[in-house]
């Protein structure tokens, strides 16, 4: 039975959690997908408590070091082994202190040993070409609530997407229909694009636009994986007339035509975390 273990934390010590529990996640029922979830922590409504449910060990490592998947070199089983983690944080713990605490927890419970290297990788630089960006500067105050839900299954636009509700200008939303991805960004910086672009391009994407303003914008494209498969069948309930004759824009053309930005292929230095040793079974509970 895994239980709570208190850390040797003093009022000045912000390197360990006040208490933490680590245990293997419950086995996944055959044929049933189980989602991973993280709740709480610095910057959330529950800053004094963080809970991971069914979380791959790889994602715990990435969260601890503030890195993306392409920056981690580790055994493949880290993606398969899942854990439930609960930890208590002292009031006022910062994001940086939280990461130090999570790193320390991984060291204590999984005996992790690692080192960092800088390697040159094939990547993309997100830049501003001649003509400038096609982005609308947001006038919404940060934290403003959306006027209504962005998704309505009863209201489809000419391309078969649910219509986006007017007035929605906060946060990021994604819809995928008939193989096409449509994302809306409200009151967001250009850097909010990097994760989705990295996933769509299959390479790390770095922001070199120099743009720091927050914008409202929409990005619609067809992933390369859908193109390679010859396109998906029409979704049930979507009239044939609503489907475009072509397969839709690539992510590269969409970024240029819709946002006025450009993805440039380059070799770039990337910081990589190398896992030298790590155990499957957590200890110290």
């Amino acid at each position: 039975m895994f239980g709570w273990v208190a850390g040797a934390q003093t009022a000045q010590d912000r390197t360990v959690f006040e208490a933490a529990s680590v245990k293997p996640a419950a086995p996944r029922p055959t044929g049933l997908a189980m989602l991973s979830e993280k709740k709480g922590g610095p910057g959330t409504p529950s800053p004094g408590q963080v809970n991971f449910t069914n979380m791959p060990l790889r994602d715990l490592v990435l969260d601890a070091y503030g890195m993306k998947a392409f920056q981690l070199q580790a055994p493949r089983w880290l993606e398969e082994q899942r854990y439930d983690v609960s930890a208590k944080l002292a009031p006022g713990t910062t994001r940086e202190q939280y990461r130090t605490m999570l790193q320390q927890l991984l060291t204590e419970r999984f005996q992790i040993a690692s080192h960092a290297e800088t390697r040159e990788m094939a990547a993309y630089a997100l830049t501003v070409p001649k003509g400038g960006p096609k982005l609308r500067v947001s006038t919404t105050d940060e934290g403003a609530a959306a006027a209504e839900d962005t998704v309505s299954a009863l209201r489809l636009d000419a391309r078969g997407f649910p219509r986006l509700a007017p007035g929605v200008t906060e946060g990021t939303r994604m819809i995928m229909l008939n193989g096409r991805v449509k994302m809306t960004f409200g009151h967001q910086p250009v850097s909010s694009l990097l994760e989705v672009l990295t996933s769509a391009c299959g390479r790390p994407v770095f922001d070199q636009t120099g743009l720091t303003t927050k914008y409202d914008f929409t990005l619609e494209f067809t992933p390369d994986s859908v193109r390679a498969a010859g396109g998906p069948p029409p979704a049930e309930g979507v009239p044939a007339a609503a489907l475009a004759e072509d397969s839709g824009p690539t992510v590269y053309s969409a970024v240029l035509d819709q946002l006025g930005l450009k993805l440039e292929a380059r070799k770039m230095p990337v910081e990589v975390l190398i896992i030298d040793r790590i155990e499957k079974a957590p200890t110290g509970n």
Side-chain angles (χ1 to χ4, degrees):
M1 183 72 180
F2 296 93
W4 286 93
V5 175
Q9 187 179 47
T10 66
Q12 292 76 36
D13 185 7
R14 295 299 179 93
T15 63
V16 296
F17 293 113
E18 289 190 328
S21 169
V22 181
K23 60 183 180 179
R28 178 172 53 189
T30 302
L32 179 64
M34 296 182 67
L35 299 178
S36 303
E37 186 177 41
K38 175 189 175 183
K39 289 184 177 180
T44 75
S46 302
Q49 177 80 30
V50 62
N51 295 309
F52 297 89
T53 303
N54 195 46
M55 190 65 63
L57 183 54
R58 181 199 69 169
D59 291 2
L60 288 170
V61 173
L62 293 175
D63 193 35
Y65 290 89
M67 290 185 162
K68 303 298 183 183
F70 64 83
Q71 295 176 277
L72 182 65
Q73 181 175 309
R76 179 62 62 87
W77 62 260
L78 265 70
E79 301 178 28
E80 302 167 354
Q81 295 293 120
R82 294 170 178 263
Y83 302 87
D84 295 334
V85 179
S86 297
K88 293 181 180 179
L89 298 82
T93 297
T94 66
R95 178 66 180 172
E96 291 72 21
Q97 290 169 338
Y98 156 76
R99 285 180 173 160
T100 298
M101 294 174 184
L102 189 53
Q103 290 172 25
Q104 183 66 21
L105 185 69
L106 291 172
T107 300
E108 292 177 354
R109 307 298 175 87
F110 294 95
Q111 313 305 309
I112 187 173
S114 64
H115 70 279
E117 293 182 5
T118 299
R119 296 183 175 179
E120 192 173 69
M121 288 187 179
Y124 285 99
L126 185 64
T127 63
V128 179
K130 291 182 179 180
K134 302 175 182 178
L135 300 170
R136 181 165 63 89
V137 175
S138 177
T139 57
T140 305
D141 292 335
E142 190 167 3
E148 58 177 300
D149 195 352
T150 59
V151 180
S152 173
L154 300 179
R155 297 185 299 165
L156 301 180
D157 65 19
R159 294 182 60 82
F161 285 106
R163 294 187 184 279
L164 301 175
V168 176
T169 54
E170 178 63 27
T172 303
R173 312 271 181 150
M174 183 177 79
I175 303 165
M176 187 166 186
L177 188 65
N178 296 319
R180 296 191 296 273
V181 173
K182 188 172 186 177
M183 301 192 70
T184 58
F185 297 78
H187 200 68
Q188 297 294 307
V190 167
S191 59
S192 63
L193 276 167
L194 299 183
E195 189 167 349
V196 67
L197 292 180
T198 293
S199 177
C201 296
R203 296 182 186 180
V205 177
F206 296 92
D207 180 12
Q208 295 193 347
T209 63
L211 301 173
T212 58
T213 305
K214 292 188 176 181
Y215 303 93
D216 300 331
F217 54 95
T218 299
L219 181 66
E220 177 187 334
F221 64 93
T222 301
D224 288 345
S225 58
V226 174
R227 292 173 174 281
E236 183 179 353
V238 177
L243 301 176
E245 293 182 359
D246 62 7
S247 58
T250 66
V251 64
Y252 311 98
S253 63
V255 166
L256 182 61
D257 297 338
Q258 299 169 23
L259 307 181
L261 303 176
K262 187 176 182 180
L263 287 164
E264 297 182 359
R266 297 181 184 176
K267 290 282 189 177
M268 303 186 70
V270 178
E271 185 179 3
V272 177
L273 182 70
I274 314 294
I275 302 300
D276 300 309
R277 186 190 69 198
I278 190 167
E279 300 293 334
K280 290 185 179 180
T283 61
N285 288 284

